[in-house]
Amino acid sequence: MDELRTAFDPEQFRRHGHKLVDHLADYLNGVLEGKGPVHPWIEPEKRLANWPKIETPAPNLSQIFSDLIEQSQHLHHPSYVGHQMAVPLPLTALADLATSVLNNSSAIYEMGPSGVLIEKRCLEWMAKTLGYSPEADGVFTSGGTLGNLTALLAARQKKGGGNCFLVSDQAHYSIDRAVKIMGWGEEGLEKVPVDEKFKMRVEALEPTLRKARDAGKRVIGISANACSTSTGSFDPLPEIAAFAKKQGLWFHADGAHGAATCLSEKYRSLVKGIEQADSVVWDAHKMLMVPALTTAVLFKDGTDSFETFSQEASYLFQKSAREEWYNPCHRTLECTKRDFAFRLYLVLRAYGQGLFADYVTRQYDLARAFARKLEDTDDFEIAIKPESNIVCFRYTAMKSADLDSFHTQVRKKIIASGKTYLVQAQLPKGVYLRTTIMNPFTTEEVLENVIQEVRAEFEKL
């Protein structure tokens, strides 16, 4: 019992907390200025040895936190231009601290009275931002993959069954996973071809639908990219919405990354038509600067989601799902759900949505500036002119049948150097290096350095 009292001792918690916040603040001070490597790369087998087994006593907790920070990927470094992971606002860490100590479940109101209502306020704001009417509603869930599954399940429920969705051939792999979980298998998706800008070809929708129906499939909906993961292209949402309405199909927009575009006055036109979608997935842990996982699934008609997961559980529910709007577990797979929304609520209340509007506009502007830099060289090409903050580019001065493998090698060498962190994408022409400009402290100078680093590694080859 004495050990338990010590483990829960508020003063001990205060001491550890003060030390950790000071340590993280010092860390941010350095990393935001570009100090240290972006990724302290060590092969996984070697790094495992740096982490002692659980049974090893560790009285110095500060050292454990130091090891964690030192050996992690540093998203706040201006030269991080890799995956679509938010560079979290420091205030969100305090939100997580508070909700972790409280540990309320926001699946039902009785267990999470604050979290449930905060989630509702955030959903109202997101729905309004998208252009939905007050009848819209939704739920927060654990990531875009589960969000897309939730939306597709609601579509099947609303349409009374079915076994196929039309999707762009640039759709995120989570859509493929969702239809397999739903029992539709490999035949659950019918791929719609894209144009040279990786946008769904509207003129291909009707023949693709006809092909699916001729094969005996019951198509119930269309999923559009807003935007695609590989290249950041936005599908023509108004035209897809019109086709879906004409054919009586559910229209889903995967806006995990790009839904935040509606906050930018300059770029809002890219998501015109998203307000016509029956469902939208929006990851706040991408372009709203909050930690993973913070995903909203929004429905134009708020009642559409209620029956998808509705079940009998008399120890929890006394009324129907629609009456119990305050019990989000009616609308999500999770029976225990952490308070995802408080992070978003806190930063919106603290800074206002103007901060996010400026951020989205800045990152999109910077991607276009980076693309122009690449176009002005003699030894690089871009896949397409960027629409979002994603830029895919390729070195062209080397003539080799192994150019794809060389791009992969160059990327690995750059990561190992710690100078920057970028990823790659397999496109029809081959392997492209891919940057997602997430960090608000990345500059044109940083991106110029990325070009120089890639060029130098290729010249070594």
Side-chain angles (χ1 to χ4, degrees):
M1 192 62 185
D2 287 344
E3 289 183 359
L4 273 173
R5 288 190 182 280
T6 300
F8 280 91
D9 178 34
E11 293 308 314
Q12 177 179 260
F13 170 68
R14 192 191 309 278
R15 289 193 299 274
H16 289 320
H18 283 176
K19 284 183 179 179
L20 178 58
V21 170
D22 286 343
H23 193 155
L24 288 170
D26 290 342
Y27 161 75
L28 288 171
N29 237 346
V31 75
L32 289 171
E33 295 298 322
K35 295 178 181 177
V38 183
H39 192 308
W41 179 258
I42 300 175
E43 293 296 330
E45 292 80 5
K46 292 181 180 178
R47 173 158 282 154
L48 182 60
N50 293 348
W51 291 98
K53 293 188 177 181
I54 301 299
E55 296 81 4
T56 307
N60 186 357
L61 299 187
S62 294
Q63 187 59 50
I64 296 178
F65 285 121
S66 293
D67 291 343
L68 172 71
I69 294 167
E70 182 182 338
Q71 298 181 46
S72 292
Q73 171 84 275
H74 302 309
L75 277 67
H76 290 84
H77 195 295
S79 293
Y80 175 86
V81 287
H83 289 288
Q84 296 155 280
M85 290 290 290
V87 177
L89 291 159
L91 189 61
T92 60
L94 301 183
D96 277 357
L97 176 63
T99 56
S100 292
V101 171
L102 294 169
N103 198 32
N104 281 203
S105 169
S106 63
I108 58 171
Y109 177 71
E110 284 187 12
M111 280 298 295
S114 295
V116 167
L117 302 183
I118 287 168
E119 179 171 315
K120 183 168 180 61
R121 289 303 187 213
C122 287
L123 290 165
E124 288 172 348
W125 173 78
M126 295 174 99
K128 183 179 179 180
T129 303
L130 288 174
Y132 277 159
S133 74
E135 283 70 44
D137 208 342
V139 69
F140 274 85
T141 191
S142 305
T145 299
L146 191 51
N148 280 323
L149 173 62
T150 301
L152 266 60
L153 285 168
R156 181 169 68 177
Q157 186 80 356
K158 182 66 178 279
K159 295 298 180 182
N163 61 6
C164 186
F165 245 76
L166 303 184
V167 297
S168 158
D169 68 11
Q170 293 291 304
H172 191 262
Y173 65 86
S174 63
I175 302 289
D176 180 65
R177 287 186 175 182
V179 299
K180 287 176 179 173
I181 292 169
M182 292 163 66
W184 292 355
E186 297 285 350
E187 301 301 311
L189 296 180
E190 195 70 48
K191 300 286 183 73
V192 182
V194 295
D195 62 18
E196 69 282 355
K197 295 180 180 179
F198 300 96
K199 298 171 177 283
M200 187 185 288
R201 287 176 48 208
V202 176
E203 71 275 11
L205 279 168
E206 190 163 348
T208 304
L209 177 60
R210 192 184 317 118
K211 174 188 170 187
R213 286 174 172 170
D214 288 346
K217 298 179 183 180
R218 187 183 172 203
V219 180
I220 61 170
I222 306 172
S223 178
N225 292 323
C227 55
S228 67
T229 299
S230 292
T231 61
S233 298
F234 289 84
D235 284 338
L237 303 180
E239 292 86 348
I240 296 170
F243 180 82
K245 184 176 181 180
K246 178 181 176 182
Q247 297 292 338
L249 302 174
W250 182 280
F251 174 31
H252 174 63
D254 185 353
H257 182 85
T261 310
C262 59
L263 287 161
S264 169
E265 185 175 347
K266 183 175 182 178
Y267 293 110
R268 189 180 298 143
S269 61
L270 290 167
V271 287
K272 181 182 179 181
I274 200 169
E275 74 284 351
Q276 298 180 56
D278 295 295
S279 55
V280 175
V281 163
W282 183 353
D283 285 350
H285 60 264
K286 287 189 168 65
M287 294 299 291
L288 294 180
M289 293 184 283
V290 300
L293 293 163
T294 314
T295 294
V297 191
L298 296 137
F299 295 88
K300 182 169 66 173
D301 180 349
T303 64
D304 282 343
S305 66
F306 276 109
E307 298 302 329
T308 305
F309 297 109
S310 184
Q311 291 175 303
E312 283 295 322
S314 59
Y315 59 93
L316 291 177
F317 316 128
Q318 285 77 50
K319 299 178 182 178
S320 71
R322 285 181 174 82
E323 290 177 293
E324 291 193 352
W325 59 267
Y326 45 81
N327 285 330
C329 59
H330 285 299
R331 297 184 246 190
T332 182
L333 193 62
E334 294 110 325
C335 297
T336 301
K337 187 161 82 77
R338 72 167 299 163
D339 186 351
F340 300 111
F342 183 61
R343 308 151 165 173
L344 180 58
Y345 182 83
L346 183 64
V347 294
L348 280 167
R349 291 294 304 276
Y351 305 124
Q353 73 176 46
L355 178 77
F356 300 97
D358 292 345
Y359 166 72
V360 172
T361 302
R362 179 195 184 276
Q363 303 311 106
Y364 283 25
D365 283 347
L366 190 56
R368 283 155 176 76
F370 182 40
R372 288 193 295 271
K373 281 181 181 288
L374 289 160
E375 287 184 299
D376 288 343
T377 67
D378 296 324
D379 49 355
F380 287 96
E381 67 176 15
I382 57 174
I384 57 168
K385 291 184 183 297
E387 289 192 315
S388 63
N389 55 331
I390 298 172
V391 182
C392 295
F393 64 99
R394 184 170 168 88
Y395 187 74
T396 57
M398 176 184 285
K399 305 302 178 185
S400 171
D402 294 326
L403 194 55
D404 283 356
S405 66
F406 285 141
H407 275 84
T408 300
Q409 288 178 47
V410 163
R411 175 182 172 266
K412 287 181 178 178
K413 287 179 180 294
I414 288 173
I415 291 172
S417 76
K419 293 178 182 178
T420 191
Y421 181 86
L422 70 170
V423 294
Q424 65 185 49
Q426 179 69 50
L427 300 178
K429 283 188 179 180
V431 173
Y432 279 70
L433 298 175
R434 176 177 168 275
T435 59
T436 309
I437 304 172
M438 302 295 292
N439 195 309
F441 296 95
T442 298
T443 61
E444 288 193 45
E445 182 182 2
V446 167
L447 295 171
E448 178 64 38
N449 289 337
V450 171
I451 295 174
Q452 298 299 339
E453 288 161 24
V454 172
R455 180 181 286 131
E457 289 298 337
F458 266 104
E459 288 175 353
K460 289 177 188 177
L461 291 172

